[in-house]
Structures are given as structure tokens and as C-alpha cells.
Amino acid sequence: MSDANAPLADVLERLGELTGRAGRLPEVLDVAGLSYRTGIPVGVVVELLSGGRAPEACLAQRVRQRLDFIRETRRRPDGKRYSLDELARIAGTSRQWLSEWRKSGMPSLEHTDRLRRFFGLPAGFFTADEQEALYEALQPELQCLEAEADPLLRLRESGLVRLAARAPQMNAHQLATLADLAEMIIASERAGRSADAGSAADLKGAGRA
């Protein structure tokens, strides 16, 4: 990979180490979920996870592809696909303008941001290239695997392990504060895992629908 792709390459290397599947990450990662969150087609996600490259695309092509991806993967509460009229209303514009956008691939930042927020999409969803988008989407996966491999990692990053080493010099109030901080981190970690599990279940349910 080129220097521009080095951050993704580093993450893939680390994920390969943690999973023991270097070069075979599509076998252990949620490819469909990564595609859903990034707007990158499944085949391209697999190629990137395997160390390959995404097809070359200009910004206009990328924006147009991501808009079409939303129409294909996001559904109304009744399970039907959003019409162009509905997407135009969500974006705060007209169907005619949205149609022109689909042709040119060059929308306004205001309209794309409205769509992004409505569908709960990450920042840069419409404009980030495939390597950037996948790099960001893999961060939670990496953090979770690193936490499993090294349970004390988050404590060290927060400074709690260093503080705990000073416990003999701490008074009762300081020790109570340290314990509270540890409990907050543990509770936050549990909540995050519960949310991830719920999202995975929702995705599987959507896939079966």
C-alpha cells in the first residue's frame, strides 16, 4: 500500500496479529456490518481487508455511489425503500435538485449533512475514500480485540494502573475516588458491548427481512 494507505495497513496488520488471521480478516470480521456502516460495497470491503486496493473513483462518483447505497440499504419503518422525493425532503431540497446531484455527484455540505444525521451515518460518509472510511470503522473492532487481549490496557491508558501502584501512599478519600473511576470504566465497557451486541442483532434481523 502507498503512504496514503499506511494507517489502514497498520490497523489491518494489528488486527491480523490479534485474530491470528493475517491476510484472512474477512473470515473473522463482520464484512456486511462494515459495508453497512461505511457505504463501501461488500466486495470492496473484502478486498481492502485482504490487503488489496479499492477501485479508483473521483469524488463525484463516490458521493453518487454512497447516495445510491443509502437507498438500497436503509428502509422506512414499513420496510419499503425511500423514494427520491422522501430523500429530497430529508435533505431539505427538491427532487429535481437531488436528481441533479445524483448525476453530478456534487451536493452541498448542508444537504449531505442533513441526510447523514437523519440516517445516523458517520462524519465524512459521503466524501471519505474507501481506505479512510474503513480505517475509522475498524477502530471499535481494534479496541475491542485489544481489550480482550490485554484487559488492563484501558486502565493503563487512563493512568489507573499507575495510580494504583501508589495506593499505599493514598488516603481513604483518594482510594475511593480511584475505585469510582475504575467502576466507571468497567460500566462504560459493559454498556458499549451491550450496544454492539444489539446493533449486530438488528443487522442480522434486517438481513433476514
Side-chain angles (χ1 to χ4, degrees):
M1 290 189 178
S2 67
D3 290 343
N5 298 326
L8 177 60
D10 290 343
V11 169
L12 295 180
E13 181 178 2
R14 180 59 177 150
L15 287 170
E17 294 172 354
L18 291 167
T19 61
R21 298 293 182 88
R24 296 183 296 159
L25 288 174
E27 298 175 5
V28 293
L29 296 182
D30 181 7
V31 173
L34 290 169
S35 172
Y36 186 85
R37 295 195 299 274
T38 60
I40 305 172
V42 167
V44 178
V45 172
V46 171
E47 181 67 19
L48 289 172
L49 290 177
S50 302
R53 301 180 64 87
E56 293 292 333
C58 66
L59 178 60
Q61 291 173 318
R62 188 178 305 125
V63 171
R64 185 164 54 248
Q65 181 264 322
R66 302 275 166 86
L67 177 62
D68 288 341
F69 187 89
I70 287 177
R71 291 195 71 207
E72 292 298 325
T73 60
R74 270 61 175 180
R75 292 291 187 266
R76 300 182 336 197
D78 62 4
K80 295 182 179 179
R81 191 167 74 165
Y82 284 92
S83 68
L84 285 179
D85 285 327
E86 290 170 320
L87 289 178
R89 285 196 296 272
I90 293 169
T93 187
S94 65
R95 178 194 171 106
Q96 180 180 3
W97 188 92
L98 190 65
S99 296
E100 288 299 317
W101 167 12
R102 293 184 71 216
K103 293 177 183 178
S104 67
M106 298 304 292
S108 74
L109 293 177
E110 176 186 358
H111 295 147
T112 55
D113 194 56
R114 287 182 178 180
L115 280 173
R116 183 187 69 78
R117 287 186 284 109
F118 179 86
F119 288 107
L121 304 169
F125 177 87
F126 288 99
T127 57
D129 67 29
E130 287 76 8
Q131 289 82 3
E132 293 171 337
L134 187 58
Y135 171 84
E136 292 297 333
L138 286 172
Q139 294 307 304
E141 305 274 356
L142 179 60
Q143 291 169 7
C144 182
L145 288 171
E146 286 186 330
E148 292 177 359
D150 183 0
L152 294 179
L153 178 63
R154 292 192 66 189
L155 295 179
R156 278 197 292 274
E157 289 177 343
S158 67
L160 287 179
V161 169
R162 186 178 66 254
L163 288 173
R166 298 169 51 193
Q169 290 80 42
M170 291 183 176
N171 58 39
H173 177 71
Q174 290 170 328
L175 288 172
T177 300
L178 179 62
D180 288 342
L181 288 172
E183 287 296 329
M184 287 174 60
I185 290 177
I186 293 170
S188 176
E189 181 71 17
R190 288 173 178 168
R193 289 181 179 177
S194 296
D196 290 342
S199 297
D202 290 343
L203 284 175
K204 290 180 180 179
R208 290 192 296 268

